Amino acid sequence: MLKAIRIIGLGIWVAILSMAISAFFFRHGTEEDATLVFVAIMDFIVVGVATRAVLRMCHKKRS
């Protein structure tokens, strides 16, 4: 349950951050711009987590 709350909290923070970034970089940022920034940030996080998991698995196989 705690993991679910953390994931939802992360999503909320990323949404706030994406709105701020789209408003800062795009003068007349639309919801589409904010959505693109949100997806880019979440993709970056997911790729980082997946890479970390793969590296851990590879490290365990060596040991």
Side-chain angles (χ1 to χ4, degrees):
M1 183 69 177
L2 185 59
K3 261 195 187 252
I5 293 172
R6 285 183 180 174
I7 291 171
I8 292 170
L10 175 67
I12 291 170
W13 277 110
V14 170
I16 293 169
L17 180 64
S18 65
M19 290 297 287
I21 289 172
S22 71
F24 184 74
F25 286 111
F26 304 111
R27 179 167 280 226
H28 301 290
T30 62
E31 287 182 23
E32 184 178 325
D33 296 331
T35 303
L36 290 174
V37 173
F38 178 80
V39 169
I41 293 171
M42 289 304 283
D43 284 346
F44 180 76
I45 290 170
V46 168
V47 167
V49 169
T51 304
R52 192 168 155 190
V54 168
L55 289 175
R56 280 187 182 173
M57 286 180 7
C58 289
H59 182 68
K60 285 182 181 180
K61 285 183 180 181
R62 284 186 181 184
S63 298

